[in-house]
Amino acid sequence: MNIVHLSAECYPVAKIGGLADVVGALPKYQNNKTITSQVIMPFYDNKFTQENTFKTIYSSTLTLGSIVLDFSVLKLKNKPLDFDIFFIDVPDLLFKDYVYSSDDTDRFIAFQIAALDWMLTWKKNPDIIHCHDHHTGLIPFMLQESFKYEAFRKIPNILTIHNAQYQGWFSHDKVSLIPSFDFNNVGLLDWGSSINPLAAAIKCAWRVTTVSPTYMEELKTSANGLEYLLNDESKKCSGILNGIDLGVWNPETDNYIISKYNTKTVQSGKNANKKYLCDTFKLDFNKPLFAFIGRLVDQKGSDLFPEAFKESLLKNKASVLLLGSGNHLVEQQLETLKKDHIGTYNAYIGYDEKLSHIIYAGADFILMPSRVEPCGLNQMYALKYGTVPIVRSIGGLKDTVIDISKHKGFGICHSDTSITDIVTSIDRGVELYRDQATFKKIRRQIMAIDHSWHASAQDYIKLYKSIN
Ligand code: ADP
Ligand code: GLC
């Protein structure tokens, strides 16, 4: 079986968030003697593309409305990954030093057309086309409707929704960018009077998955306008929980962290990483360390942090360390907070892959008070590194974290994204930390939880086989 994943992000090439981690891991775990799983993604101008060498395997032009653009397909020359990855190079549009911006519509339509045009030249069609999020959401429509892709009509295709908040809306003025199709079917592109690539994919894909079972249920009542559509299409929808890539996220082998450790050496290993963080960020080692890593956007509840941290820090029982970037006002507020809480609070505003690994390893608790969390990978990384997750019980967080008050519980769960819930949960964390015997037992317990990709990668394979 030959599977093709199409995505805007893929670790380690280009990463903004969890989409990259998933697309960079799933093919590895799907590849075996009978299955070839590969990725097609845009060629950006970033650190990865600057530091590696590529060879051109195909060159042509694509038509985007009234303009004709050169494009090439590139392959890595120097450093193979654990799966085949192909890059669509459209120099005029995709080769930028960013992944997402205001020109996404043209860029990602060009990406999708180039990818399909190239696939038309393959000797054999793929067995499954797996699209990720709205950036590749026009593909199921084009496979079904565009005249030039007639040869692809029978290829089973899947959409995975990583986040339904973002749908890629654009105006009908740009409909001519999509390769021509029977205009009687233009309604398939439409939702709420604009062209909506995510909605089009939900309508046209053979199957739709989301990244956790609970999020799938939540989408039926809260999907940023797509509730009715998802209810209507519910028979072809299912939730498959993401996994974590143990080749990248494992404290026993992680080259980014200060001291490696396993369940037996967790105490000394975490202490060494915590000491590094406390020295670097001038934090009190003796206080429990609560950390946040992520995009500073409303989805994550990060707008509440400045107030919530202030309240918690005044109690003088916890330290807080934050790594993230996003909303400028929130970034500023988080910076300003530093001067009043030297020794118990610090923040690195920016993106730093290495530091994120050290924080998972060195923190005592990870905070995730998300308003929406389709799956969430941070809590699963935290578990693997023996760091107790504090989460709002929604989406994938509900599927992966059980409150300590419950049978076999190991985390701290709250029901709202509110300042009170964040502060109260930090208080509960402080209490748990005080009881070192229980705290250490929980650490060992959570490190043993298996969230590797093995089971979920197989669930996808089962789904592919059911439509192949
Ligand atoms: P989302 O995809 O919604 O951002 P996930 O929990 O699925 O959330 O995944 C987030 C991923 O991005 C994790 O690998 C996390 O460690 C990483 N990440 C987010 N912000 C940063 C940052 N500022 N620096 C380093 N890694 C980050
Ligand atoms: C999205 C979601 C996140 C999920 C990730 C990977 O960015 O916000 O919850 O873990 O995709 O599927």
Side-chain angles (χ1 to χ4, degrees):
M1 180 182 275
N2 185 5
I3 303 153
V4 174
H5 292 273
L6 289 120
S7 170
E9 299 179 39
C10 176
Y11 180 84
V13 181
K15 169 168 167 179
I16 303 297
L19 170 63
D21 288 0
V22 170
V23 177
L26 184 53
K28 276 192 212 176
Y29 289 80
Q30 291 183 327
N31 267 324
N32 64 25
K33 281 195 194 109
T34 56
I35 293 172
T36 308
S37 185
Q38 51 206 318
V39 172
I40 304 179
M41 71 175 298
F43 192 63
Y44 304 112
D45 181 9
N46 66 11
K47 194 163 177 278
F48 186 93
T49 57
Q50 284 151 20
E51 288 176 353
N52 288 282
T53 51
F54 299 83
K55 67 172 177 219
T56 303
I57 57 165
Y58 180 74
S59 287
S60 188
T61 53
L62 70 93
T63 308
L64 188 66
S66 57
I67 57 167
V68 175
L69 294 161
D70 289 325
F71 83 92
S72 310
V73 181
L74 312 180
K75 225 186 145 174
L76 264 169
K77 199 152 111 186
N78 60 326
K79 181 181 129 188
L81 300 180
D82 292 329
F83 49 90
D84 280 338
I85 181 159
F86 300 95
F87 300 89
I88 301 292
D89 183 17
V90 184
D92 290 344
L93 287 179
L94 291 175
F95 193 64
K96 307 281 176 188
D97 61 1
Y98 51 81
V99 174
Y100 306 121
S101 191
S102 52
D103 53 356
D104 282 359
T105 300
D106 292 32
R107 294 171 72 231
F108 289 115
I109 295 180
F111 166 63
Q112 295 172 85
I113 293 174
L116 293 186
D117 282 2
W118 173 51
M119 280 161 60
L120 276 177
T121 68
W122 292 10
K123 285 200 188 84
K124 193 174 172 299
N125 283 344
D127 298 301
I128 293 283
I129 295 183
H130 191 151
C131 303
H132 295 267
D133 271 351
H134 73 84
H135 326 102
T136 56
L138 293 172
I139 286 179
F141 172 84
M142 296 197 284
L143 294 176
Q144 180 182 306
E145 301 293 332
S146 288
F147 302 126
K148 74 192 285 203
Y149 304 127
E150 189 101 44
F152 290 158
R153 293 284 186 269
K154 293 205 175 108
I155 306 179
N157 57 80
I158 288 192
L159 165 76
T160 293
I161 305 175
H162 294 261
N163 197 332
Q165 295 301 107
Y166 308 100
Q167 299 171 9
W169 311 265
F170 59 92
S171 123
H172 276 276
D173 300 350
K174 287 193 178 239
V175 73
S176 62
L177 301 187
I178 301 170
S180 56
F181 56 92
D182 178 353
F183 217 71
N184 289 316
N185 295 338
V186 69
L188 288 169
L189 292 169
D190 187 88
W191 195 256
S193 77
S194 62
I195 294 184
N196 183 321
L198 192 68
I202 295 168
K203 293 178 204 176
C204 298
W206 291 30
R207 291 289 183 276
V208 175
T209 67
T210 59
V211 288
S212 71
T214 293
Y215 185 56
M216 187 75 251
E217 280 312 302
E218 289 171 356
L219 284 178
K220 291 181 186 159
T221 53
S222 173
N224 204 8
L226 300 181
E227 303 77 11
Y228 173 80
L229 177 61
L230 283 156
N231 278 291
D232 211 40
E233 299 283 3
S234 66
K235 283 206 182 75
K236 67 178 185 191
C237 297
S238 61
I240 299 179
L241 191 69
N242 285 335
I244 64 171
D245 184 354
L246 294 178
V248 180
W249 299 98
N250 182 351
E252 221 169 346
T253 51
D254 189 335
N255 287 325
Y256 281 139
I257 65 179
I258 302 306
S259 172
K260 296 179 188 160
Y261 58 94
N262 55 30
T263 40
K264 290 200 187 95
T265 54
V266 52
Q267 205 52 37
S268 59
K270 282 192 73 71
N271 276 349
N273 286 288
K274 181 172 176 181
K275 182 158 186 327
Y276 171 85
L277 291 174
C278 291
D279 289 349
T280 309
F281 292 98
K282 310 213 171 4
L283 298 170
D284 181 351
F285 179 85
N286 294 311
K287 291 194 167 69
L289 179 58
F290 295 78
F292 172 84
I293 300 169
R295 298 179 290 120
L296 301 176
V297 293
D298 283 356
Q299 179 199 339
K300 303 286 174 185
S302 56
D303 49 308
L304 304 180
F305 282 150
E307 233 8 78
F309 290 167
K310 207 185 288 171
E311 226 176 279
S312 277
L313 292 164
L314 284 174
K315 299 183 183 179
N316 204 26
K317 290 182 177 155
S319 294
V320 174
L321 177 60
L322 177 139
L323 165 63
S325 61
N327 181 301
H328 293 309
L329 179 65
V330 175
E331 287 183 354
Q332 250 170 27
Q333 291 169 332
L334 289 164
E335 282 286 1
T336 310
L337 203 62
K338 286 183 183 174
K339 63 177 184 334
D340 293 329
H341 301 281
I342 294 167
T344 50
Y345 166 77
N346 215 330
Y348 178 91
I349 303 298
Y351 188 93
D352 190 325
E353 191 73 25
K354 177 177 163 73
L355 179 58
S356 76
H357 284 242
I358 303 173
I359 296 178
Y360 288 117
D364 296 302
F365 298 90
I366 283 283
L367 296 164
M368 297 184 77
S370 308
R371 291 194 172 87
V372 177
E373 201 57 86
C375 179
L377 297 170
N378 296 20
Q379 81 281 10
M380 296 196 266
Y381 298 149
L383 292 170
K384 187 68 200 163
Y385 284 73
T387 303
V388 177
I390 298 185
V391 306
R392 177 173 173 220
S393 276
I394 44 142
L397 299 174
K398 191 168 169 188
D399 292 340
T400 51
V401 182
I402 306 172
D403 190 83
I404 36 169
S405 62
K406 302 215 171 105
H407 179 58
K408 293 193 174 162
F410 50 79
I412 293 175
C413 301
H414 54 93
S415 52
D416 290 321
T417 299
S418 67
I419 293 175
T420 312
D421 275 29
I422 298 171
V423 174
T424 312
S425 299
I426 292 179
D427 288 346
R428 288 185 70 202
V430 169
E431 279 305 306
L432 175 63
Y433 187 80
R434 217 176 260 151
D435 176 3
Q436 278 288 308
T438 308
F439 186 67
K440 286 177 184 167
K441 199 173 118 221
I442 287 178
R443 270 186 171 168
R444 284 192 297 273
Q445 177 191 343
I446 61 184
M447 284 180 76
I449 297 174
D450 181 10
H451 277 302
S452 71
W453 263 109
H454 294 291
S456 300
Q458 284 317 307
D459 287 345
Y460 278 112
I461 301 284
K462 267 188 228 147
L463 185 66
Y464 302 154
K465 286 188 173 156
S466 74
I467 52 174
N468 201 266

